[in-house]
Amino acid sequence: PVSKKAKMRDGGTDELDVCQQLLGELETHQDAWPFLKPVNPKSVPGYKKVVKKPMDLSTIREKIANKQYSCLESFTDDVNLVFDNCERFNEDDSEIGKAGHIMRRFFNKRRAELLK
Ligand SMILES: Cc1ncccc1N[C@@H](C)c1cnc2ccsc2c1
């Protein structure tokens, strides 16, 4: 019989497809600009000390390319890390803080829609 993986591959979209679809939508979102590249700690005083595990969308893109995500959950953990770091460092009513809340809501909505 055809192995589960093979059947999954041909049949529905597997978890990796969902990760790539979601990441593409995050990268092209109009409010993604603060999260596209790693925060340069030299240009943001205090960031290195406050944010213990930096994460950004380009690093997530690289991790997908290097097959470093075993499942949708490990991908989701890194996406949430981007927005948790943002909340930790930025005021909710700052430009970057507001972008983070918009992007997190968008991600959660799209992830739920794609998993239906
Ligand atoms: C996500 C984040 N959290 C805290 C600080 C910075 C950032 N983003 C970087 C790209 C960044 C770095 N510098 C500036 C200057 C104006 S907006 C902006 C954004």
Side-chain angles (χ1 to χ4, degrees), residues 26 55 60 73-87 104 107-108 111:
L26 290 174
M55 187 48 65
I60 293 174
E73 283 324 298
S74 54
F75 167 79
T76 300
D77 290 346
D78 267 358
V79 172
N80 284 329
L81 181 55
V82 173
F83 303 136
D84 292 345
N85 290 342
C86 182
E87 278 204 53
R104 185 202 294 276
F107 173 70
N108 289 334
R111 183 172 180 269

Side-chain angles (χ1 to χ4, degrees), residues 15-25 61 64-65 75:
E15 292 195 4
L16 184 62
D17 294 339
V18 173
C19 293
Q20 296 193 320
Q21 174 67 26
L22 282 168
L23 183 58
E25 293 186 24
R61 174 60 69 188
I64 286 189
F75 167 79

